[in-house]
Amino acid sequence: MPAPSSPPPSSPPRSLRAPLRAAAGGAVALLLATGCGVGPDHPAEPDPPGSDPVEREVSFDSGPDTVYGTLALPETAADAPVPGALIISGSGPTDRDGNSELRASADTNLNLARILADAGVASLRYDKLGSGRTGLGDRDTDDPVPYEVFERQMADAYAELLGRPEVDPERVVVVGHSEGALFALRSPDVVAEHPPAGLVLAAPMGDRYLDTLDRQITEQVRSAESARRITAEGATDMLSELRQGIARIRADEPLSEQVEPPLGAVLNPGNAPFLRTIDSMDPAELARELPAETSTLVLWGTADAQISESDVDRLMDGLSGQADARRVDLPDADHILRVYDDAPGVSALDADRAFAPEVEPALREFLDGVL
């Protein structure tokens, strides 16, 4: 593919100018630009994993909001109640299928639902606030949305799943992708009256939220600096502003309204309450506090540019006290669990890349032991 034209060195790189919606808590959404297709021929889309479930549109109330989602059922659900799984999306305005404006064809949640259906497990995935049919409800785009709203959505979605006649409420797991894995770690405490039998943490954070954000943006800024798309002075100023903003959030001090893009999309007063709360939760500590009987599966792609191996190592250390905690590394899979190949001439479009084939057997083996 021809090299993209570079902006002047004094301007922020295009990958750091991608807008984020504060209302959906999108602080650790993908800031790198998604790759483009290369080569003269557009390859055929790979076959999706699993099998086609029977899908039903559902809705449920969560506070003042109506949340919309999809109940995906295996064929066996027609005979008797089947095990169930709640699927929780990653950061930002990410819809029920795992898609957002930045990655419109990721389909992470949809692919997981297909694998679950093929394994005889029903699933509920939903449009989190700010995405899909749920949208923002009666809120204005600039209205701050605290962390508690998203946690309540998770709890209400879980109750909706358990209340479905097709689902056996005694055999339920929670599946969280990226930021959703942090909510999954919280779920046994949030739904303590009927906790899940197991957790599936896909591409999970292992460090605190703002530390993860700091690392992600720092890597992108330094990469842009190396590519001469931003000056050394510009990189230093941006990272200084980033760390000042993080310190202010943690100290519960007001953020400036004048932070320039790209950081202004994240470090703004509307995002601050959400960030302050979610940053207070250390994933490794949440893992240590899980009930000992909670089985856990961690899935991580070795080509994940957002979550590092050390992040997963730290999370696994937190899970070391669990009776059943296992980790499966997915060779050459990226953050959305699709196979990534950076060889010249290979398409980088999400839809053109296969879902990591190792996910299905790992998930089946885990579910067989838990449900």
Side-chain angles (χ1 to χ4, degrees):
M1 138 182 156
S5 58
S6 299
S10 59
S11 65
R14 180 179 302 172
S15 63
L16 290 173
R17 293 204 300 265
L20 299 175
R21 291 183 184 173
V28 192
L30 181 68
L31 297 181
L32 289 170
T34 304
C36 59
V38 295
D41 298 320
H42 186 75
E45 291 187 8
D47 292 333
S51 60
D52 291 331
V54 177
E55 295 197 330
R56 298 176 183 169
E57 181 85 1
V58 299
S59 65
F60 55 91
D61 293 332
S62 184
D65 304 307
T66 299
V67 181
Y68 295 89
T70 298
L71 182 70
L73 300 169
E75 292 183 1
T76 52
D79 303 322
V82 297
L86 176 66
I87 302 175
I88 309 171
S89 293
S91 62
T94 306
D95 68 16
R96 69 186 79 179
D97 289 342
N99 300 330
S100 67
E101 290 183 1
L102 292 175
R103 302 196 83 157
S105 301
D107 283 344
T108 310
N109 298 350
L110 174 59
N111 285 327
L112 289 169
R114 291 178 59 89
I115 292 173
L116 288 164
D118 200 48
V121 178
S123 65
L124 174 62
R125 61 191 195 271
Y126 60 95
D127 294 329
K128 62 188 287 191
L129 191 68
S131 73
R133 188 177 173 188
T134 299
L136 287 172
D138 294 331
R139 294 173 176 83
D140 292 332
T141 303
D142 297 329
D143 285 349
V145 181
Y147 166 88
E148 291 77 12
V149 170
F150 297 99
E151 186 169 276
R152 181 170 58 195
Q153 280 193 333
M154 173 190 71
D156 292 333
Y158 187 82
E160 173 70 17
L161 177 66
L162 265 61
R164 300 294 305 194
E166 304 92 343
V167 174
D168 180 353
E170 301 301 323
R171 296 186 292 162
V172 174
V173 298
V174 173
V175 182
H177 174 246
S178 189
E179 179 190 289
L182 189 60
F183 284 83
L185 282 167
R186 284 277 298 149
S187 65
D189 186 52
V190 175
V191 295
E193 292 185 2
H194 207 132
L199 307 177
V200 178
L201 311 176
M205 287 182 285
D207 212 340
R208 287 175 61 184
Y209 205 91
L210 290 175
D211 289 335
T212 303
L213 174 67
D214 188 343
R215 178 184 55 77
Q216 290 178 342
I217 293 182
T218 297
E219 289 173 355
Q220 293 178 62
V221 169
R222 292 308 182 195
S223 177
E225 180 187 2
S226 296
R228 302 176 66 87
R229 291 186 286 124
I230 186 172
T231 64
E233 181 181 6
T236 299
D237 289 346
M238 189 178 296
L239 294 179
S240 176
E241 191 168 36
L242 169 67
R243 282 151 198 166
Q244 288 177 17
I246 288 174
R248 285 183 170 275
I249 290 171
R250 287 177 166 168
D252 199 7
E253 296 177 355
L255 288 173
S256 171
E257 299 269 6
Q258 307 303 319
V259 179
E260 294 296 320
L263 295 183
V266 176
L267 301 179
N268 61 70
N271 263 353
F274 174 90
L275 293 173
R276 186 175 301 113
T277 301
I278 200 167
D279 178 67
S280 69
M281 304 171 192
D282 185 330
E285 289 301 318
L286 291 178
R288 290 187 183 95
E289 295 167 3
L290 287 174
E293 65 275 10
T294 305
S295 297
T296 309
L297 170 64
V298 174
L299 299 171
W300 174 70
T302 62
D304 191 334
Q306 292 180 257
I307 300 298
S308 68
E309 185 172 11
S310 62
D311 288 335
V312 184
D313 290 342
R314 187 173 187 273
L315 180 62
M316 294 308 299
D317 183 62
L319 289 168
S320 60
Q322 300 305 112
D324 180 18
R326 63 192 80 175
R327 166 179 172 175
V328 176
D329 290 354
L330 313 171
D332 301 319
D334 67 359
H335 191 64
I336 61 168
L337 311 186
R338 286 182 182 263
V339 177
Y340 177 73
D341 185 350
D342 61 358
V346 177
S347 175
L349 285 173
D350 291 338
D352 293 341
R353 299 184 295 113
F355 200 65
E358 296 82 7
V359 173
E360 186 161 1
L363 196 51
R364 276 183 171 273
E365 181 181 355
F366 176 74
L367 294 170
D368 286 344
V370 174
L371 302 177

